[in-house]
Amino acid sequence: MKGVSDERINAPVRGPDEIFEASRLTGDATREDLESIRRRTSVYVYEAPVRVWHWVNALAITILVVTGYLIGSPPPSMEIAEATDQFVMGYIRFAHFAAGVVMSVGFFGRIYWAFVGNRHAWQMFYIPVFNKRYWKEFVFELRWYFFLEEEPKKYIGHNPLAHAAMFTFITLGITFMMITGWALYAEGAGQGGVTDSLFGWVLGYVQNSQRLHTLHHLGMWSIVIFAIIHIYAAIREDVMSRQSMVSTMISGHRTFKDDRIE
């Protein structure tokens, strides 16, 4: 054993290429690839409550979209069984209402965490409209998404374009869907209840129940379109950008692929 210990102590210091020789042997890693492995850094961006809210909210929205579509375009339930023997639409409506409650409670919890969490937890709830640098970066990101820029930039939180999209379709979008959704629920629950006291005014403001249904339905489709673009952009940026995307909303860490600041 003494000979082995002496051998380890007296062994020559291996160079950087030798240290990562396994990477070179298992693929076509270049010297630049090895340098990237060595200097990769990460920043803890999304805390656990934000990540949990993100995935729970995504599930709730999925249930709301599917059941909402079926409520607007009911399935031929009478072909399943007699109306007295089945409760298909009742179960669909219950799933819709339950998911709506989960989304509403989660959204208020998310607002609370914006005040007590880190600085990135607040980003979704405002847009720095008077910041010229923000709009310059916004235009750059727009050009990058349209393949008009050769190389992307690095961002810790959301990039300016994603920032604006999250504020518009999640912060404002969920608020709109909650108000119109609870107003529709209040209409069905009847006058005098808690929901009627809180949201009954919406129906009076819109002046037409069918119009309120249409607005709520259009809001659903706007969120569906946003979700499709959001998923595409997240996967695209995970592949093409200089930082991680999808894994960040799982681990909370934004991992960077190079050590350049810009």
Side-chain angles (χ1 to χ4, degrees), residues 219-241:
M220 178 200 77
W221 282 114
S222 68
I223 290 179
V224 168
I225 293 171
F226 163 76
I228 294 172
I229 297 174
H230 176 64
I231 294 170
Y232 159 74
I235 296 174
R236 175 187 186 272
E237 291 300 282
D238 216 37
V239 175
M240 299 180 63
S241 75

Side-chain angles (χ1 to χ4, degrees), residues 2-17:
K2 183 177 184 302
V4 174
S5 300
D6 291 342
E7 183 178 293
R8 289 179 178 175
I9 294 173
N10 297 324
V13 177
R14 292 184 295 171
D17 289 345

Side-chain angles (χ1 to χ4, degrees), residues 77-95:
S77 57
M78 299 304 270
E79 297 181 7
I80 299 174
E82 289 296 329
T84 54
D85 297 329
Q86 50 86 22
F87 196 56
V88 176
M89 184 54 67
Y91 290 127
I92 292 173
R93 284 165 57 85
F94 172 77

Side-chain angles (χ1 to χ4, degrees), residues 10 24 39 42 45-48 75 88 91 109 129-130 140 149 152 172 185 189-190 193 214 223 235-236 239 244:
N10 297 324
R24 188 182 296 279
R39 67 196 178 203
S42 66
V45 179
Y46 300 122
E47 298 164 298
V88 176
Y91 290 127
V129 292
F130 299 110
F140 177 90
E149 295 289 343
L172 298 184
Y185 183 86
T214 300
I223 290 179
I235 296 174
R236 175 187 186 272
V239 175
S244 62

Side-chain angles (χ1 to χ4, degrees), residues 11-114:
V13 177
R14 292 184 295 171
D17 289 345
E18 292 176 296
I19 294 174
F20 294 103
E21 189 64 28
S23 298
R24 188 182 296 279
L25 291 175
T26 55
D28 58 345
T30 64
R31 188 181 186 88
E32 184 179 349
D33 295 333
L34 303 183
E35 288 295 325
S36 179
I37 294 173
R38 182 182 301 103
R39 67 196 178 203
R40 179 173 296 177
T41 57
S42 66
V43 178
Y44 188 56
V45 179
Y46 300 122
E47 298 164 298
V50 174
R51 304 197 306 274
V52 171
W53 169 81
H54 175 274
W55 295 112
V56 171
N57 192 59
L59 178 61
I61 288 176
T62 301
I63 295 172
L64 285 165
V65 167
V66 173
T67 55
Y69 176 83
L70 293 174
I71 291 171
S73 302
S77 57
M78 299 304 270
E79 297 181 7
I80 299 174
E82 289 296 329
T84 54
D85 297 329
Q86 50 86 22
F87 196 56
V88 176
M89 184 54 67
Y91 290 127
I92 292 173
R93 284 165 57 85
F94 172 77
H96 192 78
F97 298 153
V101 170
V102 170
M103 186 181 75
S104 300
V105 173
F107 189 64
F108 281 108
R110 182 66 180 83
I111 293 174
Y112 165 77
W113 196 258

